Amino acid sequence: MICEGCKKYNMENKKLFQIGDVAKMFNLSVGSLRHYEKAGLLKPEYTDSETGYRYYSERQLITAGRIAALRAVDQKFILQDPHLKSRLIP
């Protein structure tokens, strides 16, 4: 899906996923993804300035998967450690 704002942002050649779709893929809540954005772990590739909708690239799905895997084994402390955080994000 290519959003109108994405076209204006010149990103029509990238495959982007809406925040709800990413949340479903990795069994995360939309609120969690917003939290990870604020924490600097997973910033959306593009945020539509008119709607506020967040879009993630295929590359970011790797990071989302890593976060989901760490959560699954209850390693939340890793997500809060700045030294380990830098190794999480490719």
Side-chain angles (χ1 to χ4, degrees), residues 41-58:
L41 286 170
L42 186 60
K43 184 178 181 194
E45 181 77 27
Y46 173 75
T47 302
D48 189 303
S49 60
E50 294 178 19
T51 63
Y53 290 175
R54 293 163 172 85
Y55 296 90
Y56 296 86
S57 68
E58 290 177 314

Side-chain angles (χ1 to χ4, degrees), residues 5 10 16 19 21 28-29 36-37 44 47 57-58 60 67 79:
N10 196 24
L16 298 176
I19 191 170
D21 295 332
L28 298 168
S29 70
Y36 299 138
E37 176 186 359
T47 302
S57 68
E58 290 177 314
Q60 293 173 300
I67 290 170
L79 302 177

Side-chain angles (χ1 to χ4, degrees), residues 10-29:
N10 196 24
M11 296 179 65
E12 58 271 356
N13 293 328
K14 291 188 177 183
K15 177 132 173 104
L16 298 176
F17 301 86
Q18 292 181 345
I19 191 170
D21 295 332
V22 175
K24 287 177 188 173
M25 281 183 221
F26 297 102
N27 199 27
L28 298 168
S29 70

